[in-house]
Amino acid sequence: MDIARLSIDRPIYTWILILICLFGGIWGFSTLGRLEDPAFTIKTAVVVTNYPGASAREVAEEVSEPIESEIQKLGEVKEIETMNQPGLSWLSVTMKDEYDGTELPAIWTKLRNRVAEARLPTGASAPFVNDSFGDVYGLYYAVTAPGYSDAEINELADFLRREVLSVDGVADAIVSGVPNEAIYVEPDLALTATLGIPPAAIQGAINSADEVVDSGEVQRDNGRILIQRPDGSSSVDEIAALSVGVGGEVVNLIDFAKVHRDRESDPELIIRHNGVDAFTLGVAGISSENIVEVGKRVDAKLEELKSEIPLGVSVLPIYQQHEVVEAASNDFLVNLAMSVTIVIAVLAVFMGWRASIVVGVTLLLTVVGTLFFMAIGSIEMERISLGALIIAMGMLVDNAIVVAEGMQIAMAGGQSSREAASDVARKTQIPLLGATVIGIMAFAGIGLSPDATGEFLFSLFAVIGISLLMSWLLAITVTPLLGHYFFRRGVAGESGSYDGGLFRAYASVLRLGLRLRWLVVVLLMATTVVCYMLFGQVKQQFFPDSNTPLYFVHYKLPQGASIHQTSADMQKLEDWLEEREKVVAMTSYSGQGAARFMLTYAAEDPNPSYGHLIVRVSSLDVIEEEMRALEDHAELTLPQGEVRVQRLAFGPGGGAPIEARFSGRDPAVLRALAQDAIERLSSASEDILNPRMDWREKELVLRPVYADDRAQEAGVSRSDVASILRFATDGLQAGTFREGNRQIPIIVRAPQDEGMSLSDHVIYSDSANGFVPLAQVIDGFRFEAQDTLIQRRDRTNVITVGADIPRNMTAAQVFAEVRGVIEGMELPEGYTMEWGGEFESSSDAQASLGKQLPLSLLIMVLISVLLFNALRQPIIIWLLVPMSVNGVALALLGTGMPFTFTALLGLLSLSGMLIKNGIVLVEEIDLTREARPDLPLKDAIVEASTSRLRPVFLAAATTILGMLPLLGDAFFRSMAATIMGGLAFASILTLIAAPVFYYLFFRRSAAKAAAPVPAAA
């Protein structure tokens, strides 16, 4: 079917296609979902179980082990990581890569069922499975309310969350850092001892005061009447007025105890924003909604609520994803306009204004048509998909240039537009289609990768696939029609279009290359060897740093430090940051990190000794200077803690840049191995910073020595001793005070300002019907150094040694320096070592990519073989591919940019472009030889190659110049440099190396065909 001729003979069909692309693209752009980063599924759930009073070792053995054992029975599980702390088991369960988001809900249900079957010890809570671990709260605010009470702040938090949830498009909202309150009952110890009132009696009286119990119902002939319990104590004063019966007498709480409402003594999280106490409000949009519109609606709602929010309350943004996304969309439009302008300008210079309009309009229709199909396929506009359109820009123009240039030349030679379109399309549409599919398949490896990296970059493959297929379709339909309208028909026999000085110079160089063909081959091989050696000097990096002007501070005090110590140290950093002119805002967290406000952000596990800062600076230009200044300041003012300053990075990953994991049974052996590894790392490289182990320091634990004989004689059990010690310190929960939807714990504890030592307390003995001194039933206290942070991985104890690196170095560089000394460690039998950190993340991603590449490569090779129905032509083309690295190595070394994962994608696309150009060139040589069999091989090669000079040159020039806008994007910078440098060199390969290889492969067969046939005898 002659599609090109039909597009001119039946223009109505082509115009319908044009209008569909144009208006469909406008509709698509207005309706496409917008995100900052592409959505990839975080296939992790968290299982939390409390086991009060147990040590970390007991938690690991009695709680984590049974739960892990049940979870391991699930075939979908990839790995189980467990953090064990005194009284707390925290399991992170990650599913295998092949399961996508649609399958996870059913898997989480199976996980819950398995966890529920675990046999846990008495005293352990029911495990809580949190499968919302990966939710992203991209609209993230800090709320400050100085001068307001904790109760008012809680009421404000509930109000804001309730109102925000009513906004259309909002999926969820969370508040964090809201000060929790407690009602403390602190009895006078002397009075309670005199009156004989044990803490248990106080607990019982409080617990029954507002207990919710079923009171039954009365059945009557005309229906039923429900009976409800009497109203309970509804205020602190009423709790204080409760009576306690002891020894036949009744006394009120207030007679012997102080009852007051106050903030919890040891909160789990303390937040400040710009130095002021705050809580955070995180808002997540529905995944199918446009986050820009959702964000604007949320902002409008918060603005509307200002009249209802009390004076002095401020809602301040920490991170506003919708503004970032809107800026990215606007930047895309600017980059798109720049790229189209560059393409049109280059084409106008080298092909004339008519051709520039024809190709430029085709390019524009390709882009808007791609947006149309993106909307149909629910592919959001985000960093990767927008970048893919820019990356594809030069590739998109290639098909149109080949068709337009062919038509222009044919019409200049006297052919009609229909004849020219038909002739060009007949010769090029199949080679161009095959080359286009090969270009798409170059990205299939990453698009089909089932892991998080593949999911993160899937839209790159999808958008490039859609856009390249659109470019081929429009090149054989719209381009011929526009050429029919714009190109002028010349007079038959006019001077050739390849008589210009550039074409003659290229022909002369090519003839010289064919004459010195072996020298050309040797030079190409030598250059390739040298460039591969140089490529070894290129810095390696997994994903680059983000271009958001945010940086993080991770602060860690020795294990066992209180959250108040951590908060006080964080306050020192905040006070210093407040004086920095280039710091725009800061938010501090003590006890744990922030909510997941970006998909690529991962907070540390909860720990009272951990502090976190999110610092926003005025611009990226000052971020390094500010980070260095903070590091220097912290080194002087906070020598007791570990300070790590970190940029936000693109893409999935996690952990320290350098990590080594040691697995085995004995914690003491693991600690010794970890300490040895830390010393080896530090001595092997000066670039190892902050080496640490994730079990952290052992913590001193105070343990009473139970005197069996005396205690049993006194009727005091071990539980009684534990209870009185808890009463003397944290307090005993006696009940719950309900206030609206809040449940405030009521804590009975010893007065905090009595100055009593633990051994001064007395224990009530039921058998003795009186108090017994604690010192009588114990033989004092002893200190023990315990592991209070035990990490496990797949049911095995694992200790991880992590280290940071200088920001001007890549993890690969430092890893190369230290790899040998760690792998050279002698490990006891039963102990293993494996690498984590960036090495593991990049290795896993590249391994996954490697699994898909063979299939992609096979398809690419098969297409090239089928196109030519021969082997020699594909071999010629594929010989060029390894040489494409030459320009990449020179470009990256020249710019100092690292070879990132996105640069690897650029290298794949470069291979696709090189193969595409090679196919068109070799096909043209074959067609020239077929059309003019008497033409000598050298002349046929030179003539065909000269006719391909302009399309190859223009495709390379437009692609290289079209990459210029991406050089300012941190994520795509190394990819742009890879394509620009690689394509510049690849164009030389196409125009010189391919013809030389063709001559070497076909010289003998051409000579045989040209030899005279002997006359018959």
Side-chain angles (χ1 to χ4, degrees), residues 97-110:
D97 294 329
E98 55 261 34
Y99 300 105
D100 60 28
T102 60
E103 299 170 284
L104 286 179
I107 294 175
W108 299 144
T109 300
K110 293 171 68 175

Side-chain angles (χ1 to χ4, degrees), residues 903-917:
L904 174 62
L905 298 180
L907 184 58
L908 292 176
S909 69
L910 177 64
S911 302
M913 287 185 273
L914 180 58
I915 292 170
K916 185 176 183 179
N917 285 336

